[in-house]
Amino acid sequence: MRTQTKLAVVYYSSTGIVAAIGKEIAEAAEKAGAEVRLLKAAELAPQAAIDSNPAWAANATATADIPVATPADIEWADAVIFGSPTRFGNIASQLKQFIDTLGGLWAQGKLADKVYSGFTATSTTHGGQESTLLALYHSVHHFGGILVAPGYTDPAKFADGNPYGTSHVDAQGNNPVDDTTRTAARVQAERVVKIASALKAGLAAA
């Protein structure tokens, strides 16, 4: 009997946009048949900084029940989808800090041969979406991971236009996650689950 594909969705989100995309991806992956863990990277910012931004504080409260990711979650998973807002064209320090804790698993070869993908959000158009995902994917290559980007494998991808992963422009909080982004998230989740499940089945039969 084929066992269920295990997916970890690990994100960092300050004001909630990336959190909303992560939830959409997790729900779509579950509908596609995966066992999903929706997880967040630990917050590194001081409480005073969080409290100074109403959207940041509201998101911290709204996602308080989301578990904090651990290396054990990555070891458990067959596939991992990372999410981060852009920070000067790169991933947020909170997600990078979590990735940096995976050295022990990397040294044991336990990050290799898993499927990986990513999603992001920016405040402005052309604000670093592609560079953020490409920077994230550098780590995947070092893991020996199998990168599964959405590409233009579905007609809906020509609407959001990002073959590297789901992305959203929030316009300083004025553009909530919309149907275009939600559709892109669904396409990405379904593709990751499909490829990871096929890989898992193939390895089991080998």
Side-chain angles (χ1 to χ4, degrees):
M1 186 191 313
R2 180 180 297 182
T3 58
Q4 201 171 14
T5 295
K6 296 175 289 188
L7 171 67
V9 180
V10 181
Y11 73 86
Y12 173 73
S13 184
S14 53
T15 59
I17 296 296
V18 172
I21 300 170
K23 182 179 178 183
E24 193 73 25
I25 286 175
E27 291 176 353
E30 285 184 338
K31 290 178 182 177
E35 179 182 356
V36 180
R37 293 182 184 179
L38 178 62
L39 307 156
K40 63 187 178 186
E43 183 59 81
L44 303 178
Q47 190 63 44
I50 298 170
D51 292 341
S52 70
N53 183 323
W56 197 350
N59 180 60
T61 299
T63 60
D65 61 334
I66 302 294
V68 172
T70 70
D73 293 308
I74 307 304
E75 184 174 5
W76 165 86
D78 301 306
V80 182
I81 304 180
F82 288 117
S84 174
T86 191
R87 293 292 185 266
F88 303 114
N90 211 322
I91 64 174
S93 59
Q94 289 87 344
L95 183 63
K96 181 61 165 62
Q97 193 274 341
F98 172 69
I99 290 173
D100 286 348
T101 69
L102 302 178
L105 292 179
W106 171 81
Q108 299 173 68
K110 292 183 176 181
L111 300 179
D113 301 333
K114 297 177 185 286
V115 166
Y116 296 89
S117 201
F119 61 98
T120 189
T122 57
S123 291
T124 60
T125 304
H126 307 301
Q129 293 180 349
E130 293 177 359
S131 65
T132 297
L133 291 173
L134 290 171
L136 170 65
Y137 295 158
H138 291 324
S139 295
V140 174
H141 298 311
H142 281 256
F143 294 167
I146 299 165
L147 179 59
V148 176
Y152 294 104
T153 57
D154 186 284
K157 289 302 297 175
F158 290 94
D160 85 291
N162 191 339
Y164 301 97
T166 302
S167 60
H168 183 76
V169 177
D170 81 339
Q172 305 292 339
N174 292 311
N175 290 338
V177 175
D178 57 13
D179 288 343
T180 297
T181 300
R182 293 184 191 281
T183 299
R186 175 184 56 78
V187 168
Q188 184 170 11
E190 291 174 351
R191 179 167 167 77
V192 167
V193 172
K194 175 184 176 182
I195 300 302
S197 297
L199 178 65
K200 186 173 185 177
L203 290 173

